[in-house]
Amino acid sequence: MKKGHQVTMKEIAKKLGVSVSTVSRALKDSPELHPDTKKRIVEMAKSMNYQYNLLAQSLRISRSKVLGVIVPELTSHFFSSNISGIQDTAYKRGYNIMICQSNESFEQEKANIRTLVSSQVDGLLISLSRETKNYGHLQELYDREIPFIMFDRVTEEIPVSKVTVDDAHGAFLAVHHLLEQGCRKIAYFSGPEDLYISKKRKEGYLDALREFGLSEKDSQIYITDLTPEMNRQITLKMLEEKELPDAIFAMIDPLAVDVMMVLKEKGIKIPEDIALVGFTNNPTAAVVEPSLTTVSQPGYEMGQIATNHLLDQLDEIVSDDPQSFVLLTTLVVRDSSKKTKMISD
Amino acid sequence: MKKGHQVTMKEIAKKLGVSVSTVSRALKDSPELHPDTKKRIVEMAKSMNYQYNLLAQSLRISRSKVLGVIVPELTSHFFSSNISGIQDTAYKRGYNIMICQSNESFEQEKANIRTLVSSQVDGLLISLSRETKNYGHLQELYDREIPFIMFDRVTEEIPVSKVTVDDAHGAFLAVHHLLEQGCRKIAYFSGPEDLYISKKRKEGYLDALREFGLSEKDSQIYITDLTPEMNRQITLKMLEEKELPDAIFAMIDPLAVDVMMVLKEKGIKIPEDIALVGFTNNPTAAVVEPSLTTVSQPGYEMGQIATNHLLDQLDEIVSDDPQSFVLLTTLVVRDSSKKTKMISD
């Protein structure tokens, strides 16, 4: 659905050097503003041919008290933690949430947005599908001034608030720990290379290697599409190499667990022969044998922060100007990486 | 929101001994029906002071092509499999779905229903919260003739279609298998006694004992609230008994895994000292050591069947008369229960 450019409040705000919420208040004829300011803004809006968005306005006045959430998949522990954080926070502030899952499909993501917008949600929290490379549907939301923010899988192309975790730092922590344990030939088992997290975690992996005087040519990277079949396959392929790595950093826990199963089948001792670290801190990580060292992502907190920020924007407690929240990860050390006895349990 | 009794199409159908869909067609003046039949039904509706539900009618004519889904929790593998089955089926038939989670709360469940109904979904698929003991909110949906069906956690008190798994039979399979392995002192680790699945799985447990000439006094039941803390506690309590059981049947896999962790800590060999069987077939069951024998529930298929049936009702391919679908479970034998070598891998 192509259309001519629609002037937004953000553009008016920029032109006048005031905040978006000031523009919003002026156009609503709020008594809080000085009459001169109001006049200046209203005249600028007229001169720019601003079309006051009645739909967005009516949504803001007559609230449905419902937020829409779009996630790529619900079976992942990380996204279901996000949703718990979103729901608990929304509920405390008198909101209910409706969730749609894109199943990693771009078409489904667009359909989800249409569905939630027609349901008149007050705002949206969106985490992009793996397939999403084109952001026209988000630009349209933005142009229609329907409030939304993005979390975890985000794009820089749309100027709305974003909540992400510091993936590169998490990977750095994991690999740094393996290096401290004396490992020097560390392989990185990665998902598809075009995935944002594949790239970010690779960055952290290489940074840690450099910190210990190693370079990119000391790196060893295996790529999988993250299906259990291919995870097995690349592990078996690695085992055919003349010289085995002394550690593996796996991009996500399910991949780490698949690698672990193959190593155990082949009689390779973890961590003695090969140390292993994952990423996510799924419940499974704690119950496999040996228990899996992994990077813990604050999924619940991410949901909380995203929801509080969106509701603060709706309530005009904070301005609509885009903010970027980057949450830190932590390393959870378990048996799969303890080569030395220096690290206490 | 109390109100006087509203006559439903179902009551008219019952009075005349015809199907609900015949009544529905007559009231819509469908050309498919014989004029005499139509006349008879319309007159009965008038005499019973039937209020034709314009909202429900307009929903049926102008479809939103969206189904609402309510589940107790999204973090459980079982419910996320249900949702995958629902979503894939809905998508194939041109529908999108919006999901709400009750977090096992009765109040939240009622709020979810309000939210989804105001969003004008064409129909609902509902799995009840643990707290739901009162069904007024479902009765109201039924009286308003908003199409819905229930799955997994259902109540017999509302005459709509239901899709469930045969829990008792699944438990019977699990315990029967342990008895065949030579176990005779089998403990049942159960969740809260008022849960439907606790009761049903206990039934299957006792049935299997009886099949092998044992009685209720040979049973041994431990109750937990299913938190990891209490799961540990009851396992430790069991270990203080003079005579240990030779097998444990745990009501759900996460409980079985918690039990397994404690037994391993205490140096008890599984299955040699105590055999162990779970229920659900979570992904974790396959990766713990020893791998966990468990009962597999067809979560995905349940979602498929529920969605196809609801859409068939909406499309009037089948009548609105309530149907009950009971799906069978299967036993997945793994290492945690193989006392003898008679069972192949």
Side-chain angles (χ1 to χ4, degrees):
Chain A
M1 201 168 63
K2 242 1 206 191
K3 58 181 174 184
H5 176 70
Q6 229 177 330
V7 174
T8 64
M9 284 199 260
K10 289 184 179 75
E11 288 165 328
I12 301 169
K14 205 175 159 195
K15 205 105 180 183
L16 292 169
V18 299
S19 75
V20 176
S21 57
T22 304
V23 175
S24 163
R25 278 193 218 110
L27 296 177
K28 278 181 210 151
D29 198 22
S30 157
E32 291 166 40
L33 288 186
H34 192 282
D36 290 352
T37 314
K38 259 195 270 190
K39 202 176 154 213
R40 201 158 54 94
I41 292 171
V42 169
E43 277 169 7
M44 177 59 83
K46 275 188 194 154
S47 79
M48 289 172 77
N49 196 22
Y50 175 74
Q51 301 289 322
Y52 198 61
N53 190 327
L54 281 173
L55 174 66
Q57 174 62 3
S58 82
L59 280 175
R60 287 205 174 202
I61 291 169
S62 127
R63 298 249 180 112
S64 63
K65 292 277 183 182
V66 178
L67 300 178
V69 182
I70 300 175
V71 289
E73 46 157 352
L74 287 165
T75 41
S76 118
H77 174 71
F78 178 67
F79 287 115
S80 62
S81 307
N82 285 156
I83 288 172
S84 295
I86 293 170
Q87 176 148 356
D88 290 352
T89 309
Y91 193 70
K92 267 184 211 138
R93 294 182 66 163
Y95 278 75
N96 202 354
I97 64 167
M98 291 195 294
I99 305 148
C100 287
Q101 147 178 260
S102 67
N103 259 335
E104 303 287 7
S105 144
F106 177 54
E107 287 307 318
Q108 182 70 54
E109 180 175 296
K110 289 193 289 185
N112 290 343
I113 288 181
R114 280 194 299 274
T115 298
L116 290 169
V117 169
S118 347
S119 295
Q120 311 215 310
V121 292
D122 291 336
L124 290 157
L125 296 129
I126 303 175
S127 191
L128 300 178
S129 89
R130 197 171 283 178
E131 278 181 16
T132 305
K133 311 266 182 268
N134 171 317
Y135 309 105
H137 55 315
L138 301 174
Q139 187 62 49
E140 196 184 321
L141 269 187
Y142 182 80
D143 290 342
R144 288 173 65 187
E145 292 180 358
I146 293 170
F148 73 104
I149 71 176
M150 289 192 268
F151 64 99
D152 195 54
R153 307 252 204 101
V154 307
T155 171
E156 295 302 323
E157 298 198 13
I158 311 288
V160 296
S161 292
K162 293 166 190 75
V163 187
T164 52
V165 292
D166 190 345
D167 276 289
H169 183 69
F172 176 84
L173 289 177
V175 179
H176 191 270
H177 160 73
L178 288 168
L179 289 157
E180 277 187 328
Q181 294 289 301
C183 303
R184 286 298 177 273
K185 270 184 67 64
I186 303 171
Y188 171 44
F189 276 46
S190 167
E193 288 173 279
D194 60 336
L195 272 190
Y196 178 83
I197 59 171
S198 305
K199 285 181 219 160
K200 283 292 171 189
R201 294 179 192 175
K202 182 180 163 188
E203 255 176 61
Y205 162 69
L206 294 175
D207 282 351
L209 293 185
R210 275 190 286 271
E211 181 107 346
F212 273 70
L214 300 171
S215 74
E216 189 143 359
K217 73 172 179 13
D218 300 303
S219 74
Q220 204 179 333
I221 299 177
Y222 293 87
I223 311 281
T224 162
D225 61 6
L226 299 173
T227 57
E229 298 70 36
M230 191 159 174
N231 295 347
R232 272 189 74 81
Q233 239 174 62
I234 58 159
T235 313
L236 291 168
K237 194 178 149 234
M238 179 207 76
L239 291 175
E240 286 167 11
E241 298 289 323
K242 253 189 287 178
E243 212 190 334
L244 293 186
D246 51 17
I248 295 169
F249 166 50
M251 191 182 81
I252 53 172
D253 282 355
L255 169 57
V257 170
D258 288 342
V259 171
M260 182 183 280
M261 295 297 127
V262 178
L263 297 184
K264 281 162 72 174
E265 268 171 45
K266 299 293 173 186
I268 289 168
K269 288 201 192 74
I270 306 166
E272 293 81 352
D273 301 333
I274 298 181
L276 184 62
V277 178
F279 200 118
T280 323
N281 202 17
N282 277 356
T284 307
V287 300
V288 286
E289 195 170 301
S291 57
L292 182 67
T293 296
T294 186
V295 178
S296 175
Q297 287 177 300
Y300 186 88
E301 292 73 16
M302 182 181 253
Q304 278 183 314
I305 289 169
T307 309
N308 272 324
H309 181 69
L310 177 62
L311 291 177
D312 284 349
Q313 286 189 335
L314 289 175
D315 291 342
E316 298 182 7
I317 294 169
V318 299
S319 85
D320 290 346
D321 299 336
Q323 300 285 332
S324 188
F325 301 88
V326 180
L327 310 185
L328 285 182
T329 52
T330 48
L331 186 71
V332 181
V333 178
R334 298 203 182 94
D335 293 334
S336 70
S337 66
K338 285 186 202 161
K339 287 232 182 194
T340 63
K341 289 291 157 200
M342 285 158 55
I343 292 182
S344 64
D345 278 38
Chain B
M1 199 168 66
K2 237 18 205 180
K3 58 182 175 183
H5 177 68
Q6 227 177 331
V7 174
T8 64
M9 283 200 259
K10 291 187 178 71
E11 289 166 327
I12 301 169
K14 204 174 158 194
K15 206 104 178 183
L16 292 170
V18 298
S19 76
V20 175
S21 56
T22 303
V23 174
S24 162
R25 279 194 216 110
L27 297 176
K28 280 181 212 151
D29 198 22
S30 156
E32 291 165 38
L33 288 185
H34 192 282
D36 290 354
T37 313
K38 262 196 269 191
K39 200 175 157 212
R40 200 157 54 95
I41 292 171
V42 170
E43 277 171 4
M44 177 59 81
K46 277 188 191 152
S47 78
M48 289 172 77
N49 197 22
Y50 175 74
Q51 301 288 323
Y52 197 61
N53 189 326
L54 281 176
L55 174 66
Q57 175 63 4
S58 81
L59 281 175
R60 287 205 174 204
I61 290 169
S62 126
R63 299 250 181 110
S64 64
K65 291 277 181 180
V66 178
L67 300 178
V69 182
I70 299 173
V71 289
E73 43 156 357
L74 287 166
T75 42
S76 117
H77 174 71
F78 179 65
F79 287 116
S80 62
S81 307
N82 285 156
I83 288 172
S84 294
I86 292 170
Q87 175 148 357
D88 290 352
T89 310
Y91 194 68
K92 268 186 211 137
R93 293 181 67 164
Y95 279 75
N96 203 354
I97 64 167
M98 290 195 295
I99 306 148
C100 288
Q101 147 177 262
S102 67
N103 260 334
E104 302 288 7
S105 145
F106 177 54
E107 288 307 319
Q108 182 69 54
E109 179 174 297
K110 289 193 288 186
N112 289 344
I113 288 181
R114 280 194 299 274
T115 297
L116 291 170
V117 169
S118 345
S119 295
Q120 310 215 309
V121 292
D122 291 336
L124 289 156
L125 296 130
I126 303 174
S127 192
L128 299 177
S129 90
R130 199 172 281 179
E131 278 182 16
T132 305
K133 311 265 184 268
N134 171 317
Y135 309 104
H137 55 314
L138 301 175
Q139 187 62 49
E140 197 184 320
L141 269 188
Y142 182 81
D143 290 344
R144 289 173 64 187
E145 294 180 356
I146 292 169
F148 72 104
I149 72 177
M150 288 192 269
F151 65 97
D152 196 53
R153 309 255 203 96
V154 305
T155 170
E156 295 302 323
E157 297 197 15
I158 310 287
V160 296
S161 292
K162 292 164 191 78
V163 187
T164 52
V165 292
D166 189 344
D167 277 288
H169 183 69
F172 176 86
L173 288 178
V175 180
H176 192 269
H177 160 72
L178 289 168
L179 290 157
E180 278 186 328
Q181 294 289 303
C183 305
R184 286 299 177 273
K185 273 185 63 65
I186 302 171
Y188 172 43
F189 276 45
S190 168
E193 288 174 281
D194 61 336
L195 273 191
Y196 177 83
I197 59 170
S198 304
K199 285 182 218 160
K200 282 292 169 186
R201 293 178 192 177
K202 181 178 164 189
E203 255 177 60
Y205 162 69
L206 295 175
D207 282 351
L209 293 185
R210 274 189 288 271
E211 181 107 346
F212 273 70
L214 300 170
S215 75
E216 190 143 358
K217 71 171 179 17
D218 300 303
S219 74
Q220 206 179 329
I221 298 177
Y222 293 87
I223 311 281
T224 162
D225 61 7
L226 299 175
T227 57
E229 299 71 37
M230 191 159 174
N231 294 346
R232 272 190 72 82
Q233 237 174 62
I234 58 160
T235 313
L236 291 168
K237 194 178 149 236
M238 179 205 77
L239 291 175
E240 287 167 10
E241 298 289 323
K242 250 188 293 182
E243 213 189 334
L244 293 186
D246 51 18
I248 295 170
F249 166 51
M251 192 183 80
I252 53 172
D253 282 355
L255 169 57
V257 170
D258 288 342
V259 171
M260 183 184 279
M261 295 297 127
V262 178
L263 297 183
K264 281 163 71 174
E265 269 171 45
K266 299 293 172 189
I268 289 168
K269 288 202 193 73
I270 306 166
E272 294 80 354
D273 301 333
I274 298 181
L276 183 62
V277 178
F279 202 119
T280 322
N281 201 19
N282 278 356
T284 307
V287 299
V288 287
E289 194 170 303
S291 57
L292 182 67
T293 296
T294 186
V295 178
S296 174
Q297 286 177 302
Y300 186 88
E301 291 74 15
M302 182 181 253
Q304 279 184 313
I305 289 169
T307 309
N308 271 324
H309 181 67
L310 177 62
L311 291 178
D312 284 349
Q313 286 188 334
L314 289 175
D315 291 341
E316 298 183 7
I317 294 169
V318 300
S319 85
D320 291 345
D321 300 336
Q323 300 285 331
S324 187
F325 301 87
V326 181
L327 308 187
L328 286 180
T329 52
T330 48
L331 186 71
V332 181
V333 179
R334 298 201 182 96
D335 293 335
S336 70
S337 66
K338 286 185 200 161
K339 289 233 182 193
T340 62
K341 291 289 161 204
M342 284 160 55
I343 291 182
S344 63
D345 278 39

